[in-house]
C-alpha cells in the first residue's frame, strides 16, 4: 500500500502545484496584463486557448482531486466516519470540499465564460462598423466581469484548500 500512497502523493502534489500556481498566475498577473494591453492582449489569450490552457488546468485539477480522494481513502481506512470527525479529517475534508467546488466552478462557469469571451473577441474582429464593435464591446465588458468574479472565487477557494491541507496535521 505504501507504493500506492507515494504515487498518489506525487500526483497530488505535482498536479496541485501546477493547478494552483497556474490559476494564481492567470488571476494575479496575466489577466490584468491582458486587460491593460487591450486588443493586443486578446492575441495572448487566443494563443493560450489554442494551446488549451484551460483544458490543462481542468485536467490538473481533476488529477489533484482524484489523487486526493485516493489518499483520503487510504488514510481514513476506506472512508471510516470517525476519521472525518477528527481535527485532521475535518481540515482535510474542508480542503477537499473547497478544491472540488473550485474545480466545478472552473468547469461549469469559468470555462464557458472564457469560451464566450473568445466568441466575442472574434465577433469584435469581424464587426464591420463602429456601432457593431461598440455593441460587442459592451457585451464583452459584462462577460469579462463574470469571468473575473468566477476566477477570483475559484482562486480564493483553492487558497483555502491549500492552507487547510498545509496545516491539517497541526490542528
Amino acid at each position: 500500500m505504501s507504493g500506492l500512497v507515494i504515487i498518489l502523493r506525487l500526483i497530488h502534489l505535482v498536479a496541485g502545484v501546477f493547478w494552483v500556481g497556474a490559476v494564481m498566475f492567470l488571476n494575479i498577473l496575466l489577466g490584468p496584463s491582458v486587460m491593460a494591453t487591450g486588443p493586443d492582449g486578446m492575441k495572448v489569450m487566443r494563443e493560450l486557448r489554442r494551446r488549451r490552457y484551460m483544458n490543462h488546468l481542468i485536467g490538473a485539477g481533476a488529477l489533484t482531486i482524484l489523487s486526493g480522494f485516493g489518499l483520503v481513502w487510504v488514510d481514513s481506512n476506506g472512508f471510516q466516519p470517525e476519521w472525518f470527525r477528527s481535527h485532521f479529517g475535518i481540515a482535510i475534508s474542508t480542503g477537499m470540499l473547497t478544491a472540488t467546488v473550485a474545480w466545478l466552478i472552473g468547469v461549469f462557469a469559468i470555462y464557458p465564460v472564457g469560451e464566450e469571451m473568445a466568441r466575442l473577441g472574434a465577433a469584435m474582429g469581424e464587426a464591420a462598423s463602429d456601432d457593431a464593435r461598440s455593441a460587442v464591446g459592451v457585451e464583452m465588458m459584462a462577460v469579462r466581469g463574470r469571468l473575473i468574479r468566477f476566477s477570483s472565487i475559484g482562486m480564493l477557494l483553492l487558497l483555502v484548500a491549500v492552507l487547510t491541507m498545509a496545516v491539517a496535521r497541526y490542528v
Side-chain angles (χ1 to χ4, degrees):
M1 193 66 84
S2 66
L4 173 64
V5 170
I6 290 169
I7 291 168
L8 288 173
R9 186 159 292 168
L10 288 173
I11 291 169
H12 190 70
L13 288 172
V14 171
V17 165
F18 173 79
W19 181 29
V20 175
V23 166
M24 290 183 68
F25 170 73
L26 184 62
N27 279 282
I28 295 170
L29 297 172
L30 185 61
S33 297
V34 164
M35 279 192 254
T37 57
D40 288 336
M42 290 306 292
K43 294 175 187 175
V44 173
M45 295 311 290
R46 274 195 301 276
E47 182 61 20
L48 286 174
R49 186 169 180 256
R50 188 187 71 74
R51 292 175 183 264
R52 303 171 52 94
Y53 186 83
M54 279 301 297
N55 297 77
H56 293 300
L57 290 182
I58 290 168
L63 282 174
T64 304
I65 290 166
L66 291 173
S67 60
F69 274 105
L71 288 167
V72 168
W73 179 78
V74 169
D75 203 37
S76 68
N77 198 24
F79 298 123
Q80 294 298 311
E82 56 273 0
W83 183 88
F84 289 93
R85 289 189 286 270
S86 71
H87 291 258
F88 179 72
I90 291 168
I92 292 295
S93 298
T94 300
M96 283 176 27
L97 177 64
T98 56
T100 302
V101 170
W103 185 81
L104 290 170
I105 289 171
V107 170
F108 295 108
I110 297 168
Y111 186 83
V113 172
E115 291 296 304
E116 190 175 353
M117 280 289 284
R119 180 187 61 76
L120 289 169
M124 179 78 81
E126 296 168 1
S129 69
D130 288 341
D131 288 342
R133 275 192 291 284
S134 179
V136 172
V138 168
E139 189 177 353
M140 191 177 266
M141 291 302 288
V143 172
R144 181 182 292 161
R146 289 196 338 254
L147 185 61
I148 290 169
R149 191 168 41 256
F150 288 137
S151 297
S152 297
I153 292 167
M155 183 181 70
L156 290 174
L157 288 170
L158 286 177
L159 288 173
V160 169
V162 167
L163 294 173
T164 57
M165 290 183 196
V167 301
R169 295 218 182 268
Y170 310 106
V171 293

